[in-house]
Amino acid sequence: MESKLRTLQLTLASMLDQLDIFCREHNLPYYLIGGSTLGAVRHQGFIPWDDDVDVAMPRDIFERFEALAEGKKVGTLYYEPVEKHSFPEAPIGFLYDVSDPALPLQECPCIDVFPLDGIPSSGVLQNIQKTFSYLYHISVYQQPSQNRGKRSQMITSAFIKLTPKFLFKFYRKISKKVIAHWSPNQCSQWANIFGMARYRKEIMPKEYFGVPTYVEFEGRSLPIPEQADLYLRHLYGNYWELPPVEQRQPHHMDLTWEGE
């Protein structure tokens, strides 16, 4: 009998099949990113204790994907665009498996869909883009920032309390324009601005992403960054070294990995 974690992983892999078909049909290149790329390279599938999937597309492709997927089905899956979430969340897209009517949406298996943005070469302009990315995040999420320190939490909490609700839509519009001002096609660096590694660490040469390269992932072929070794070393250092045993547990859902 498979564990709940493994059952979830296989469901997510099946969801990726549907996403891949949709993206191929509409000529929307994308990549597995972060831990999903690491799993593909190191384990030819999921990191054994991982409980999520992250994919990303250059900003212009991402906007096309949102326009095509909103209000429609990606296969049998349900997509919620960045600014139209059913509940407050990060400023990324969510692709849900809603096949079990007993599960509330927030508990459904989900693929996180990130935009990859062009990064300006100037340090000053990077600071501007970074600042507006925080504003965009807060305007979409409308909750104090988490995991970014007590000071950041206090500032964002005060900002949210003092900001009239009607202004958040305006802030979203303006901040998104600033973030996306630098086209990925015209920049030498890209970043998953809303990735877990945070703004500075996520910035890397766009050649690391390059042409999506299909590799084995759970018995199927799925795309990862072209220069995956450089991409993974940039994010994780020596990514072949496994973390300590006590850290080998899922981070997003109430599941347990029982391996070694």
Side-chain angles (χ1 to χ4, degrees), residues 23 26 56 79 90 110 116 119 134 138 163 189 194 206 218 245:
C23 288
H26 296 284
Y79 182 72
C110 177
L116 294 170
I119 303 299
Y134 288 158
I138 295 170
T163 300
Q189 298 183 106
F194 301 107
K206 70 177 181 182
E218 298 295 342
V245 173

Side-chain angles (χ1 to χ4, degrees), residues 90-227:
I92 59 176
F94 295 105
L95 188 62
Y96 294 101
D97 177 355
V98 291
S99 60
D100 185 350
L103 280 181
L105 188 63
Q106 200 163 3
E107 296 179 15
C108 289
C110 177
I111 294 175
D112 296 343
V113 186
F114 292 83
L116 294 170
D117 285 292
I119 303 299
S121 57
S122 163
V124 172
L125 293 178
Q126 287 180 11
N127 287 334
I128 291 173
Q129 187 184 48
K130 178 182 177 182
T131 299
F132 276 90
S133 73
Y134 288 158
L135 178 60
Y136 186 67
H137 194 153
I138 295 170
S139 298
V140 172
Y141 192 35
Q142 294 186 34
Q143 292 188 20
S145 64
Q146 304 294 325
N147 305 317
R148 294 183 183 273
K150 189 173 182 179
R151 181 170 177 269
S152 176
Q153 188 174 25
M154 290 175 61
I155 292 173
T156 54
S157 178
F159 176 81
I160 292 166
K161 288 179 180 178
L162 295 172
T163 300
K165 290 291 184 181
F166 72 90
L167 278 180
F168 282 117
K169 184 176 181 180
F170 171 75
Y171 289 152
R172 287 199 302 268
K173 182 178 180 180
I174 296 302
S175 55
K176 182 180 177 181
K177 282 188 175 181
V178 175
I179 294 168
H181 175 74
W182 296 274
S183 168
N185 295 326
Q186 299 174 357
C187 293
S188 62
Q189 298 183 106
W190 289 3
N192 174 18
I193 290 178
F194 301 107
M196 289 299 293
R198 303 185 187 180
Y199 184 85
R200 297 292 179 192
K201 184 67 174 177
E202 292 280 355
I203 297 174
M204 62 187 75
K206 70 177 181 182
E207 288 80 10
Y208 287 9
F209 289 95
V211 178
T213 301
Y214 278 72
V215 300
E216 181 181 351
F217 188 93
E218 298 295 342
R220 66 260 294 154
S221 185
L222 293 172
I224 64 173
E226 183 176 14
Q227 298 185 28

Side-chain angles (χ1 to χ4, degrees), residues 11-12 14-20 22-23 53 55 57 65-66 69-70 72-81 85 92-98 105 108-114:
T11 298
L12 291 170
S14 178
M15 292 170 66
L16 282 169
D17 290 339
Q18 296 189 62
L19 174 64
D20 189 66
F22 183 88
C23 288
V53 169
V55 305
M57 311 168 187
F65 173 80
E66 289 228 301
E70 181 181 359
K72 303 176 184 177
K73 292 287 188 179
V74 178
T76 63
L77 310 177
Y78 169 67
Y79 182 72
E80 282 204 335
H85 294 162
I92 59 176
F94 295 105
L95 188 62
Y96 294 101
D97 177 355
V98 291
L105 188 63
C108 289
C110 177
I111 294 175
D112 296 343
V113 186
F114 292 83

Side-chain angles (χ1 to χ4, degrees), residues 49 243-251:
W49 51 90
V245 173
E246 61 272 15
Q247 294 181 17
R248 300 177 197 176
Q249 290 297 330
H251 296 295

